[in-house]
């Protein structure tokens, strides 16, 4: 497995693979990899001849008072996980390799980004769309793999690929959880022991909401209120949002219609750490 720092090296590797007629999968990440990331890489390896993992803490998707500086990094451990999962190349650029000092071109989206995380983090999806577009142009993959953990991001990327005619498949992969239910996240490392315990209110709320819908509840407010009550019972938790939206356009819904793809998403601060979780009604 190669670990490279420059766009030119990625292009060179991909050019050689293409010359052999090989297919290429891409897994974009911000590093500090865990089993959730690994599940994406394993899936990509199963479906492509060569897999590129990008490992880049993208500054443009962080807001001014967010955790860009403190975001955990460990390239050595990440590389070992990528190699074990069967990746062919890890792309770990410096920010200066990705962004010229006078870079002034961004990819933005008029819909899908005004609700949920886009409301709390107004510049986040512009950063995500821009860096993912750049990665698509650098790697030119046949398929790109994203976790349902970041469900709004998955919907945004699907829309961007459609709207901008990126010729690739977007593959969504299920959420990987800790044994006790907490969705795996690089940000879980911020949690103290007490906070780690308190963070279980997210998955408890998700499982309870999911059960209500499975048992036939169709009223969005009834489901989200029940979920709120579970989170509000946890003293260390502060709700950012608990919402139900159409999974295609990320617009709020009151009622779950038959056949409509619905996303029920939550964001909760546990102390200073903001965690997200969700379930999808197919
Ligand atoms: P990140 O490094 O947090 O930007 O995540 C990189 C990719 O891994 C994104 O597509 C995430 O949705 C995905 N991912 C992160 N955590 C999980 C998880 N627990 N289960 C599945 N996919 C995940």
């Amino acid at each position: 497995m190669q670990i490279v720092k420059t766009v030119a090296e990625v292009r060179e590797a991909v050019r050689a693979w293409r010359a052999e007629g090989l297919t290429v999968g891409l897994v974009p990440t911000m590093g500090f990899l865990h089993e959730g990331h690994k599940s994406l890489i394993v899936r990509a390896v199963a479906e492509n001849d060569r897999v590129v993992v990008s490992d880049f803490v993208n500054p443009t998707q962080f807001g001014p008072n967010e955790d860009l500086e403190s975001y955990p990094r460990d390239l050595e451990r990440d590389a070992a996980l990528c190699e074990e999962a069967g990746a062919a190349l890890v792309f770990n650029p410096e920010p200066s390799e990705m962004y010229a000092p006078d870079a002034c071109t961004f990819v933005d989206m008029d819909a899908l980004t005004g609700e949920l995380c886009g409301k709390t983090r107004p510049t986040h999806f512009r950063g995500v769309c821009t860096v993912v577009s750049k990665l698509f142009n650098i790697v030119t993959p046949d398929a790109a793999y994203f976790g349902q953990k970041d469900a709004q991001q998955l919907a945004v990327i699907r829309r961007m690929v459609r709207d901008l005619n990126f010729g690739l498949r977007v593959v969504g992969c299920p959420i990987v959880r800790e044994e006790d239910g907490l969705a795996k996240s690089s940000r879980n490392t911020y949690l103290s022991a007490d906070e780690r315990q308190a963070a279980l209110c997210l998955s408890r709320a998700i499982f309870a909401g999911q059960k209500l819908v499975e048992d036939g509840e169709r009223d969005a407010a009834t489901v989200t209120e029940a979920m709120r009550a579970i989170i509000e019972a946890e003293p260390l938790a502060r709700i950012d949002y608990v919402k139900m939206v159409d999974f295609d356009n990320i617009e709020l819904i009151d009622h779950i219609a038959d056949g409509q793809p619905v996303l029920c998403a939550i964001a909760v601060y546990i102390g200073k750490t903001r965690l997200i979780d969700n379930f999808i009604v197919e």
Side-chain angles (χ1 to χ4, degrees), residues 17-40:
W17 297 333
R18 292 296 186 198
E20 291 181 63
L22 302 177
T23 59
V24 179
L26 169 67
V27 183
T29 83
M30 296 210 301
F32 212 71
L33 304 180
H34 50 64
E35 292 294 318
H37 300 106
K38 192 172 180 184
S39 72
L40 271 54

Side-chain angles (χ1 to χ4, degrees), residues 171-212:
V171 181
C173 304
I175 300 177
V176 176
R177 298 179 178 279
E178 302 286 353
E179 256 173 41
D180 59 9
L182 180 67
K184 293 212 182 225
S185 165
S186 309
R187 290 191 167 97
N188 291 348
T189 53
Y190 296 147
L191 302 170
S192 69
D194 286 351
E195 289 172 342
R196 173 66 183 76
Q197 203 52 36
L200 289 176
C201 71
L202 279 95
S203 50
R204 275 206 303 274
I206 290 296
F207 298 149
Q210 200 162 18
K211 171 106 180 30
L212 276 174

Side-chain angles (χ1 to χ4, degrees), residues 26 50 88 95 97 101 121 170 181 210-212 221 253:
L26 169 67
R50 295 289 182 272
E97 175 70 7
R121 309 180 72 191
V170 175
Q210 200 162 18
K211 171 106 180 30
L212 276 174
I253 59 160

Side-chain angles (χ1 to χ4, degrees), residues 51-271:
V51 169
V52 175
V53 179
S54 60
D55 185 318
F56 176 57
V57 182
N58 173 40
T60 66
Q61 70 190 70
F62 288 78
N65 297 314
E66 293 183 352
D67 56 344
L68 172 62
E69 295 309 321
S70 57
Y71 197 86
R73 292 157 167 92
D74 189 342
L75 179 61
E76 211 171 302
R77 209 172 56 103
D78 289 352
L81 183 144
C82 289
E83 182 141 42
E84 198 182 297
L89 185 145
V90 174
F91 177 42
N92 176 238
E94 291 301 319
S96 58
E97 175 70 7
M98 289 296 277
Y99 296 104
D102 57 352
C104 54
T105 310
F106 299 91
V107 180
D108 211 349
M109 195 170 282
D110 285 345
L112 280 85
T113 58
E115 265 301 336
L116 310 182
C117 289
K119 200 163 205 158
T120 320
R121 309 180 72 191
T123 58
H124 174 67
F125 286 110
R126 183 173 98 139
V128 169
C129 287
T130 301
V131 79
V132 170
S133 296
K134 288 164 70 70
L135 291 167
F136 286 172
N137 286 332
I138 293 164
V139 179
T140 62
D142 297 283
Y145 296 78
F146 294 87
Q148 185 206 303
K149 161 84 193 323
D150 300 89
Q152 185 176 16
Q153 169 174 279
L154 177 57
V156 163
I157 298 294
R158 281 193 199 286
R159 181 64 68 95
M160 180 184 83
V161 164
R162 189 202 73 179
D163 287 353
L164 296 185
N165 303 93
F166 282 108
L168 56 89
R169 259 179 330 120
V170 175
V171 181
C173 304
I175 300 177
V176 176
R177 298 179 178 279
E178 302 286 353
E179 256 173 41
D180 59 9
L182 180 67
K184 293 212 182 225
S185 165
S186 309
R187 290 191 167 97
N188 291 348
T189 53
Y190 296 147
L191 302 170
S192 69
D194 286 351
E195 289 172 342
R196 173 66 183 76
Q197 203 52 36
L200 289 176
C201 71
L202 279 95
S203 50
R204 275 206 303 274
I206 290 296
F207 298 149
Q210 200 162 18
K211 171 106 180 30
L212 276 174
V213 175
E214 275 167 17
D215 290 348
E217 184 56 61
R218 291 290 173 266
D219 181 56
T222 305
V223 177
T224 54
E225 283 311 314
M227 295 169 68
R228 277 183 169 275
I230 291 170
I231 301 165
E232 281 165 358
E234 172 50 62
L236 294 181
R238 183 167 59 83
I239 293 175
D240 179 1
Y241 63 75
V242 177
K243 285 180 179 171
M244 272 214 193
V245 298
D246 182 301
F247 191 30
D248 284 333
N249 57 28
I250 315 290
E251 285 175 13
L252 291 174
I253 59 160
D254 296 329
H255 185 81
I256 304 172
D258 278 348
Q260 182 183 25
V262 169
L263 165 65
C264 181
I266 68 179
V268 178
Y269 291 93
I270 303 291

